[in-house]
Amino acid sequence: LLDDISSKKALIIGTGEMSEITAKHLVSAGVDVYIMNRTKHKAEALAKECGTKVIDFSELPNAINEFEILYTATSASEPIITDAIIESRNFDRYWFDLALPRDINYNKDERIHLFVIDDLKTIVDENVASREIASRAAHGIIGRAIVEFFEWANTQDLEPLIKEIYTRAEIAAEQETKRTIKAGYIPKEYEAEAQKMCEQALKRFLHEFTTNMRSDIKDIHTELISGAIASIIKEKVKDK
């Protein structure tokens, strides 16, 4: 409603629990708060507790036309603010009628914005609904993050095994290259190029295989995969 209320003045009419809560919140927001009540000593007691000022109830007709913010929550049986005492002003006024029955009864003034207790209940309900939607969305995000985390954590058990597979492939490429050179199939001067080609061929073959290993953990427990493959290569893989 107001971008910054810290420089505003507010009038609170009534000294009940609702008025006390409102006064404390406004004071904490830096608003200059005034208390008014038919029984003046009650207004003085609340003002002392909340650190506010007091205006005599007889000043009601003047006061309601000077404050930008007005809260009223009395136990009056009839409206205490009517057209008879409302004057036009060149600034916007925000009035909150929290009383049942209502304290304010007037013909609409375009510069007076009136909110009654039913309006405030609607605002609260909308805010609660928004928080519930946001909460469900947040829980969904957290849930997905947890699943992704454990999927990632499971892959960590496979990484030493995958590393070992690539290491063995490199060793096999080196051994096969040396055997081929020793047999005279490849000249000695081409040893480095031959080994590199062999390693690249093995890595290309292993890439799809190891990628599938990582993705399959979503459906198969990691221990089953790593246990089976470790058994095949007959090597106890250690996390180095």
Side-chain angles (χ1 to χ4, degrees):
L1 299 178
L2 292 169
D3 293 333
D4 181 15
I5 64 172
S6 61
S7 61
K8 308 298 182 183
K9 293 198 306 180
L11 174 63
I12 297 176
I13 305 174
T15 56
E17 182 180 3
M18 187 68 71
S19 296
E20 179 182 347
I21 293 171
T22 301
K24 289 180 178 178
H25 278 290
L26 290 175
V27 169
S28 67
V31 178
D32 189 11
V33 179
Y34 292 76
I35 305 293
M36 176 183 287
N37 195 64
R38 288 184 187 275
T39 307
K40 190 172 183 178
H41 73 84
K42 291 184 178 180
E44 291 172 338
L46 180 58
K48 183 178 180 179
E49 180 179 348
C50 299
T52 65
K53 305 177 183 69
V54 175
I55 295 182
D56 193 273
F57 192 80
S58 63
E59 295 295 319
L60 178 65
N62 294 325
I64 64 167
N65 294 302
E66 300 303 324
F67 285 82
E68 293 173 276
I69 303 172
L70 167 68
Y71 288 82
T72 178
T74 74
S75 56
S77 58
E78 296 180 353
I80 61 173
I81 299 174
T82 63
D83 288 326
I85 61 173
I86 296 174
E87 299 175 2
S88 296
R89 289 291 185 267
N90 62 355
F91 57 86
D92 288 323
R93 287 178 279 181
Y94 298 87
W95 289 0
F96 300 84
D97 188 349
L98 308 182
L100 288 174
R102 294 178 183 174
D103 281 335
I104 301 174
N105 182 22
Y106 79 111
N107 291 319
K108 186 172 178 61
D109 182 317
E110 63 180 13
R111 305 216 66 171
I112 295 177
H113 309 278
L114 176 63
F115 299 89
V116 298
I117 195 165
D118 292 338
D119 296 326
L120 299 179
K121 182 178 183 301
T122 299
I123 293 172
V124 170
D125 289 344
E126 289 175 352
N127 287 340
V128 169
S130 296
R131 286 197 295 271
E132 288 177 350
I133 292 172
S135 177
R136 287 195 295 270
H139 277 84
I141 293 171
I142 293 170
R144 288 193 297 274
I146 290 173
V147 170
E148 290 172 2
F149 170 78
F150 280 109
E151 288 179 352
W152 171 84
N154 280 337
T155 65
Q156 304 314 295
D157 293 335
L158 287 175
E159 292 310 316
L161 181 59
I162 292 173
K163 182 179 179 181
E164 179 67 20
I165 291 172
Y166 275 95
T167 299
R168 282 176 166 266
E170 291 173 0
I171 293 173
E174 181 181 2
Q175 291 176 342
E176 186 62 22
T177 301
K178 291 184 181 298
R179 187 191 67 79
T180 303
I181 291 174
K182 186 177 181 179
Y185 297 121
I186 299 175
K188 176 69 175 176
E189 59 268 26
Y190 296 131
E191 180 177 357
E193 289 81 356
Q195 183 173 333
K196 185 176 181 180
M197 289 177 61
C198 189
E199 288 178 359
Q200 288 177 339
L202 285 171
K203 286 180 179 179
R204 178 169 295 184
F205 167 76
L206 291 173
H207 175 71
E208 183 177 357
F209 172 66
T210 54
T211 298
N212 289 338
M213 284 176 61
R214 291 187 177 98
S215 63
D216 283 346
I217 65 163
K218 297 177 182 178
D219 304 310
I220 306 173
H221 199 284
T222 306
E223 291 180 359
L224 296 178
I225 298 175
S226 58
I229 297 175
S231 176
I232 292 172
I233 65 174
K234 300 184 183 300
E235 176 72 17
K236 182 178 180 181
V237 180
K238 297 181 180 179
D239 189 1
K240 299 180 181 179

